[in-house]
Amino acid sequence: MSLEEQKVELSKLGVQESKKEKKTQKKGLADLPRVDGEVVLRFAPNPSGPLHIGHARAACLNQEYVKHYGGKLILRVEDTDPRRVDPEAYQMIPEDLKWLKVDWQEEVIQSDRIKIYHQYAEELIGLGQAYMCTCPGDEFKTLKDRCQACPCRDQSPEENLELWKKMPEMREGEAVLRVKTDLNHKNPAIRDWVAMRIVEKEHPRIGDDFKVYPMMNFSVAVDDHLMGVTHVLRGKDHLANSEKQKYLYQHFSWKIPEFIHYGRLKMEDIALSTSQARKGIEDGVYQGWDDPRLGTIRAIARRGIMQEAIQELMLEIGVKIADSTVSWKKIYGLNRNLLEDKSNRYFAVLNPVKVEIQGLPESLKGNIERLKHPDYPDGGVRELPFDGVVYLDQEDLENNRSKVLRLMDAVNIFIGDEVTYHSASLEEARKSDARIVHWVPSSSNYQVELVMPDARISNGLIEPASHEIKVGDVVQLERVGFARLDSIKDDKLTFYYAHK
RNA sequence: GCUCCGGUAGUGUAGUCCGGCCAAUCAUGUCGGCCUUUCGAGCCGAUGACUCGGGUUCGAAUCCCGGCCGGAGCACCA
């Protein structure tokens, strides 16, 4: 019996269909679980370098949720490991966030709060939920793997407090403060994790005021609680950490925030972590953090990718826990949609070959005007002086041997042993099935350099009106592709190529 | 190895919680055609996916079991 037939039969019997309402599906981002009024979210990077595309996901999503529910976003710089701090990152992170158009209402740096973590550590000892452990790491691990307590675990809070006070005088590795969890927890990683440890290394930002530093799991949980964070968006690599942190919340009788874990974001052709990128920069393989081959926000920005494209992409990817691989084609597609309407057009010829058109009627020489944007005449025109001597792309010449070629908005030429004037009108060009190509006047042009995504450089010439392009603008070099003006030096413009 | 988690078109994503309206959404890509003084855009069309095998059920992308594949964690990093 089909569903319809069943319904008919049921209604004959007088049975009403019970309506189970399904959640109405909104477009866009999935709802956050258990939202009660406004939300407090945080973006909490480690200052080990500039932000990369993976950070952009967390930042954009946090931003979007705050916008959607109301509330605030906290920027929290997590620099509790002096060895993993790049001092420049303190500037680079806010810069990158601004480029991403992410706003935060509060900003804290964890190295300003070491004393707070010490206070809570002490309190936890007082509660009997943490103990000073002086076991060598490997011995503790052996015991832990067997679900056995180490001798230190039975110390009284007083004994622990005494050791805690001495901790600043101890050497690195001699002692740690452990949080009591469950020694029988099936994941050994969760068992009695480290809350505080000794680091004998000057902190790049706060110097050597402290030797006892919190572990990320401790400072994060304390801060999330103190700052009233309601929802924690983090990568699934933090799954075990979320569980570790839950013990701390329970020990302090704090309300546990909602943890949401998203999957790994890979980027096509870019498998570079911050540390690998750093090494490449130090070794001179990459020119810097904004080398076009890197997956950093600044590299992507430099390539002419718009913030909106990244934003759209991140919203689309959302928070699901399955991993995803971002393809450049997807980014290019989104970006092209944004750029198409607002990018002015210019002629740039790569691999230029100088061509003198023989037999060009004098009357056809003069200034040629062409719309800056074919769809928007109000955007104005650029002028190209045309005197019969032009630069053409070597490839266009080679591909059109013994054929008619039309120079856009100018004349039709024939590519024989010499290049000769053929005709003037577009109709003639159509009749001859001529390819229509861009060109650069030989009498007036600038040098141009185009840096490709793989960092290779193409050289050529660009039309004179290009002087009006501002650094940072993205334009379309006709028949070449979209490119962002990166710098102007003397008479040379350097563009970074985005995509077709 | 141990613990946990995933697998929808080339890529991303909706649908999975609560089985039927899903011969499965949208985006991007790709391929045709039209159009266009750009190889860009636009218009029209096409393409293409529920990891596999069992089970439950009238009915499974959706629930259960197993396989396969993939990922994360197993730090005195974050």
Side-chain angles (χ1 to χ4, degrees):
Chain A
M1 212 185 284
S2 77
L3 181 63
E4 279 313 307
E5 290 167 326
Q6 291 174 52
K7 281 182 182 166
V8 171
E9 287 300 312
L10 277 170
S11 62
K12 271 189 211 158
L13 296 166
V15 178
Q16 287 294 327
E17 216 183 324
S18 71
K19 273 264 160 66
K20 223 179 333 181
E21 74 250 42
K22 267 197 168 175
K23 220 195 281 174
T24 40
Q25 201 53 46
K26 283 186 306 249
K27 276 177 199 141
L29 275 181
D31 290 332
L32 287 174
R34 287 171 283 280
V35 174
D36 181 21
E38 299 199 324
V39 294
V40 178
L41 308 180
R42 87 299 198 274
F43 175 64
N46 166 239
S48 58
L51 264 28
H52 54 65
I53 193 84
H55 291 111
R57 179 190 205 169
C60 290
L61 292 174
N62 274 306
Q63 157 93 343
E64 196 62 24
Y65 279 122
V66 169
K67 215 194 293 173
H68 183 254
Y69 290 107
K72 68 177 173 185
L73 179 62
I74 299 164
L75 169 61
R76 191 172 69 214
V77 182
E78 308 210 321
D79 57 347
T80 52
D81 180 0
R83 292 188 223 279
R84 286 192 38 150
V85 169
D86 172 1
E88 287 181 53
Y90 293 100
Q91 283 81 52
M92 292 194 284
I93 289 169
E95 283 167 11
D96 291 340
L97 286 175
K98 277 175 193 147
W99 183 83
L100 283 167
K101 294 210 167 78
V102 169
D103 305 312
W104 58 97
Q105 288 71 47
E106 228 172 83
E107 182 169 347
V108 295
I109 299 181
Q110 288 192 315
S111 54
D112 287 337
R113 301 166 60 81
I114 305 290
K115 279 186 183 153
I116 296 172
Y117 309 128
H118 286 186
Q119 276 169 17
Y120 280 92
E122 217 167 298
E123 194 180 318
L124 193 66
I125 295 170
L127 290 169
Q129 300 291 8
Y131 59 96
M132 292 297 297
C133 177
T134 49
C135 300
D138 50 342
E139 278 178 34
F140 179 86
K141 187 181 184 334
T142 312
L143 290 167
K144 179 190 77 173
D145 287 346
R146 291 191 208 134
C147 301
Q148 289 171 351
C150 84
C152 315
R153 201 177 202 258
D154 293 329
Q155 286 153 190
S156 68
E158 291 71 31
E159 288 172 297
N160 282 321
L161 222 42
E162 202 173 310
L163 272 167
W164 163 253
K165 299 279 186 211
K166 286 187 198 152
M167 204 172 171
E169 279 86 61
M170 293 195 238
R171 305 304 308 263
E172 188 164 328
E174 275 182 4
V176 293
L177 180 72
R178 290 188 183 279
V179 178
K180 286 189 190 169
T181 64
D182 178 0
L183 286 178
N184 293 309
H185 196 288
K186 53 183 172 174
N187 184 354
I190 309 291
R191 300 172 195 158
D192 284 16
W193 51 271
V194 175
M196 308 287 292
R197 82 314 197 167
I198 298 160
V199 184
E200 291 181 304
K201 163 92 163 76
E202 191 181 321
H203 191 288
R205 192 164 161 277
I206 55 170
D208 47 15
D209 290 356
F210 299 98
K211 265 179 78 180
V212 177
Y213 285 92
M215 295 291 287
M216 165 267 186
N217 275 309
F218 191 80
S219 50
V220 161
V222 168
D223 277 350
D224 283 342
H225 170 258
L226 257 26
M227 295 168 192
V229 171
T230 59
H231 299 257
V232 174
L233 265 66
R234 52 167 60 139
K236 70 176 187 183
D237 45 326
H238 287 294
L239 238 14
N241 292 323
S242 295
E243 200 165 346
K244 287 182 185 180
Q245 291 170 26
K246 281 181 189 167
Y247 282 91
L248 205 56
Y249 282 94
Q250 281 159 5
H251 291 153
F252 283 120
S253 304
W254 291 340
K255 184 177 189 296
I256 301 174
E258 294 295 331
F259 296 113
I260 297 117
H261 300 96
Y262 49 80
R264 301 265 293 187
L265 195 61
K266 281 173 291 198
M267 199 138 190
E268 204 179 46
D269 303 329
I270 294 183
L272 291 180
S273 65
T274 301
S275 56
Q276 284 172 301
R278 179 185 301 284
K279 190 172 184 308
I281 294 166
E282 281 162 6
D283 294 349
V285 180
Y286 304 123
Q287 297 144 8
W289 287 114
D290 53 4
D291 186 287
R293 288 162 291 186
L294 296 178
T296 58
I297 300 302
R298 47 197 58 213
I300 289 165
R302 196 176 195 189
R303 285 170 60 169
I305 307 299
M306 302 280 102
Q307 175 273 138
E308 293 92 325
I310 298 301
Q311 169 94 2
E312 272 180 54
L313 178 70
M314 295 310 167
L315 258 40
E316 182 173 325
I317 293 172
V319 287
K320 55 181 241 174
I321 197 160
D323 296 346
S324 35
T325 305
V326 174
S327 74
W328 282 105
K329 282 186 174 174
K330 175 79 183 185
I331 295 182
Y332 293 162
L334 294 173
N335 203 51
R336 190 181 300 115
N337 291 341
L338 299 164
L339 251 28
E340 168 59 27
D341 271 355
K342 57 184 174 199
S343 298
N344 286 336
R345 270 61 169 169
Y346 295 92
F347 287 162
V349 171
L350 304 173
N351 305 313
V353 176
K354 194 175 193 173
V355 167
E356 280 192 54
I357 302 164
Q358 306 297 318
L360 178 74
E362 210 53 37
S363 62
L364 293 174
K365 294 181 179 175
N367 274 353
I368 282 168
E369 290 187 341
R370 185 168 168 83
L371 287 176
K372 287 183 190 172
H373 191 118
D375 302 333
Y376 301 101
D378 293 347
V381 297
R382 352 85 72 172
E383 284 194 359
L384 295 104
F386 179 65
D387 62 3
V389 187
V390 298
Y391 284 98
L392 297 181
D393 191 308
Q394 190 186 356
E395 214 172 294
D396 283 335
L397 280 173
E398 278 170 12
N399 293 342
N400 292 283
R401 292 265 167 237
S402 308
K403 286 183 191 162
V404 178
L405 202 57
R406 176 162 181 83
L407 308 187
M408 280 187 210
D409 279 328
V411 299
N412 310 319
I413 57 179
F414 180 79
I415 316 295
D417 294 335
E418 310 195 290
V419 173
T420 52
Y421 171 75
H422 178 274
S423 52
S425 72
L426 181 60
E427 289 65 37
E428 284 292 333
R430 293 236 165 90
K431 243 181 262 170
S432 311
D433 208 19
R435 183 103 222 175
I436 299 165
V437 303
H438 61 295
W439 51 278
V440 165
S442 78
S443 59
S444 175
N445 57 55
Y446 296 104
Q447 281 188 286
V448 70
E449 178 178 83
L450 188 59
V451 180
M452 304 306 286
D454 62 5
R456 279 197 301 227
I457 295 173
S458 296
N459 286 289
L461 296 167
I462 189 166
E463 62 167 277
S466 63
H467 77 267
E468 68 193 10
I469 307 170
K470 293 187 200 70
V471 169
D473 286 352
V474 181
V475 299
Q476 192 202 61
L477 305 176
E478 297 196 57
R479 300 211 308 139
V480 175
F482 293 93
R484 179 184 153 279
L485 181 58
D486 190 70
S487 65
I488 305 173
K489 230 178 279 162
D490 303 323
D491 272 353
K492 187 183 214 172
L493 316 198
T494 297
F495 286 86
Y496 272 59
Y497 185 79
H499 47 78
K500 265 279 181 234

